[in-house]
Amino acid sequence: MLASTSAQMHVRPHPLVPGKPVYAPAHTPARPQIISFFRAGAEIYAAGEPAGNIYQIEFGAVRVFRLLADGRRQIGAFHLANELFGFEADVTHEFFAEAINATGIRRLRLNAGEDASRELLPLALRSLTTTQKHLLVLGRHSAVERLTAFLADMAERQGRTDHVCLPMSRLDIADYLGLTIETVSRTFTRLKEQQIIRLVDSRNIEILKWSALLDSSE
Amino acid sequence: MLASTSAQMHVRPHPLVPGKPVYAPAHTPARPQIISFFRAGAEIYAAGEPAGNIYQIEFGAVRVFRLLADGRRQIGAFHLANELFGFEADVTHEFFAEAINATGIRRLRLNAGEDASRELLPLALRSLTTTQKHLLVLGRHSAVERLTAFLADMAERQGRTDHVCLPMSRLDIADYLGLTIETVSRTFTRLKEQQIIRLVDSRNIEILKWSALLDSSE
DNA sequence: CGATTTATTGAAATAAATCAAACATTGTGG
DNA sequence: CCACAATGTTTGATTTATTTCAATAAATCG
């Protein structure tokens, strides 16, 4: 993670409406950098918009989600630094993507033409695997199993260190795991009481017992 | 998926499930037909086996699932006649595939070489979309919502007719929706009482109120 | 036809949701 | 720097949906 993750992305270029992307003032014009900066909560793309771009996260984190008719939100995936996303099956997006925190995103352009498939396939495969994993987590019943699987996954993606940084809120986690914030919070507390994790603060977890974590997540 | 593993491939293609179309075995030998017959419960491939084949269902139905450490089973997908499956991200299968009923399966061979991607990509996309949909269903909480979404999907895939045939057991449905058989059964009963469906028999559903079905499934 | 599996129904236990409040953290303006 | 609002998190009490345990009923098979 870079130093500029948390909240001081506000070099304060403008008084911005939350939800609008912040574009950097193009300081290094060797070649036109296609990196956009988004502040927390800013929309990267919306359902219904034309799809086809691939995005790579420079720093920050992204949630990809769908809104249901009654207002509920199901988060389908989180994406962290260096990960790719935006890849979807249809010509228009089925999901929304938002920056969770201040986030820098590089838009990758695909080669037009016949070898687009060769570029896209690995991404499709990766998406598929991720989605299948998440599916198995949601199929598991208990809140503890869902949360431990989530933590194990986040730790994995951050290099298996004992210290896991959670860039997202409890609400995000809840909407990702199909739980409520209260249950997520209580489950964190339970894992803490069992000395499986330590809560440095609400967004920083130290993993104390990997075995217990992996046991109950698989 | 080599020689007869468990219960498959009795050279006895004839006493098939009543009500299922019986295809005459290999009557057009212009090219070698690679169709295998599987009886109910027969394994098509197992987790850990080398992957890479694509399968098309001639008749019957297939469940694709994963076994958890404690014996629970999470079904990731069902596949019906004419559908393709077997496509996975890794070089070895992460899932098991079994015939639900007597099932005929054609093994498709991919072109080796560079345009394999072009063949695989649409399949990956299709798998991805299906998996994402299922993910959203599991993320939604209530049993009614899960079951109505499931029924709507099955109806859709069978041509939106009012009569939906369920080739799988209640246990299969439960393992697919992350519920118990009892809850599945009770939920069927509830939908029946509300005149949303009619249970011709346990495997044959008539949809009486599409609106209610779609309302509660989206 | 009896035997075995599969499905439904009932009653009790339980995990998670809901309703409600306290607590912590962050940012803002005086 | 402090008071204060705003937001996010934790905790508590209660309700509800689903699981679990148990039994019956229906369908399937030899």
Side-chain angles (χ1 to χ4, degrees), chain A residues 95-155:
Chain A
F95 291 84
F96 294 83
E98 282 179 358
I100 294 175
N101 299 120
T103 296
I105 287 175
R106 179 193 306 252
R107 196 172 298 121
L108 303 177
R109 199 142 288 290
L110 292 168
N111 286 335
E114 57 189 33
D115 57 0
S117 309
R118 226 176 314 167
E119 294 187 79
L120 289 176
L121 185 61
L123 301 177
L125 290 173
R126 186 188 187 133
S127 263
L128 182 61
T129 302
T130 305
T131 310
Q132 281 171 337
K133 269 193 195 168
H134 188 198
L135 186 101
L136 294 171
V137 171
L138 290 190
R140 293 207 244 293
H141 312 287
S142 91
V144 174
E145 287 166 321
R146 293 187 197 191
L147 190 62
T148 51
F150 169 69
L151 289 176
D153 177 54
M154 289 299 290

Side-chain angles (χ1 to χ4, degrees), chain B residues 142-143 178-180 182-183 186:
Chain B
S142 92
L179 300 169
T180 60
E182 293 96 331
T183 300
R186 276 185 253 266

Side-chain angles (χ1 to χ4, degrees), chain B residues 13-198:
Chain B
H14 269 98
L16 287 168
V17 175
K20 282 289 166 190
V22 177
Y23 292 101
H27 45 69
T28 313
R31 36 167 105 178
Q33 273 293 357
I34 35 176
I35 296 182
S36 311
F37 293 84
F38 296 83
R39 46 158 54 181
E43 180 179 290
I44 297 161
Y45 56 76
E49 290 182 5
N53 285 312
I54 304 297
Y55 303 90
Q56 181 163 32
I57 301 180
E58 291 288 314
F59 61 88
V62 168
R63 60 180 166 247
V64 176
F65 62 94
R66 203 171 145 183
L67 293 173
L68 304 178
D70 62 356
R72 277 177 302 173
R73 183 184 66 159
Q74 175 64 45
I75 294 181
F78 294 118
H79 299 288
L80 309 180
N82 297 314
E83 296 179 351
L84 296 158
F85 72 98
F87 182 73
E88 284 189 29
D90 213 341
V91 286
T92 58
H93 284 291
E94 300 248 331
F95 291 84
F96 295 84
E98 283 178 359
I100 294 175
N101 299 120
T103 296
I105 287 174
R106 177 194 306 251
R107 195 172 303 120
L108 303 177
R109 200 143 286 291
L110 292 170
N111 286 336
E114 58 187 35
D115 57 359
S117 307
R118 227 175 315 169
E119 292 187 80
L120 288 175
L121 185 61
L123 301 176
L125 291 174
R126 186 187 187 134
S127 262
L128 181 61
T129 303
T130 306
T131 309
Q132 280 172 338
K133 269 192 194 169
H134 188 199
L135 185 100
L136 294 172
V137 171
L138 290 190
R140 292 209 247 292
H141 315 286
S142 92
V144 173
E145 289 167 320
R146 294 186 199 194
L147 191 60
T148 52
F150 170 69
L151 290 175
D153 178 53
M154 289 299 290
E156 168 79 30
R157 286 157 71 180
Q158 289 175 25
R160 287 170 206 267
T161 53
D162 289 346
H163 181 266
V164 181
C165 174
L166 302 177
M168 71 291 287
S169 71
R170 294 289 187 264
L171 180 58
D172 285 333
I173 297 174
D175 286 349
Y176 179 69
L177 296 179
L179 300 169
T180 60
I181 38 176
E182 293 96 331
T183 300
V184 170
S185 186
R186 276 185 253 266
T187 307
F188 268 118
T189 306
R190 194 129 48 109
L191 294 176
K192 184 183 71 183
E193 285 166 354
Q194 296 175 256
Q195 316 269 5
I196 293 170
I197 62 171
R198 190 168 73 87

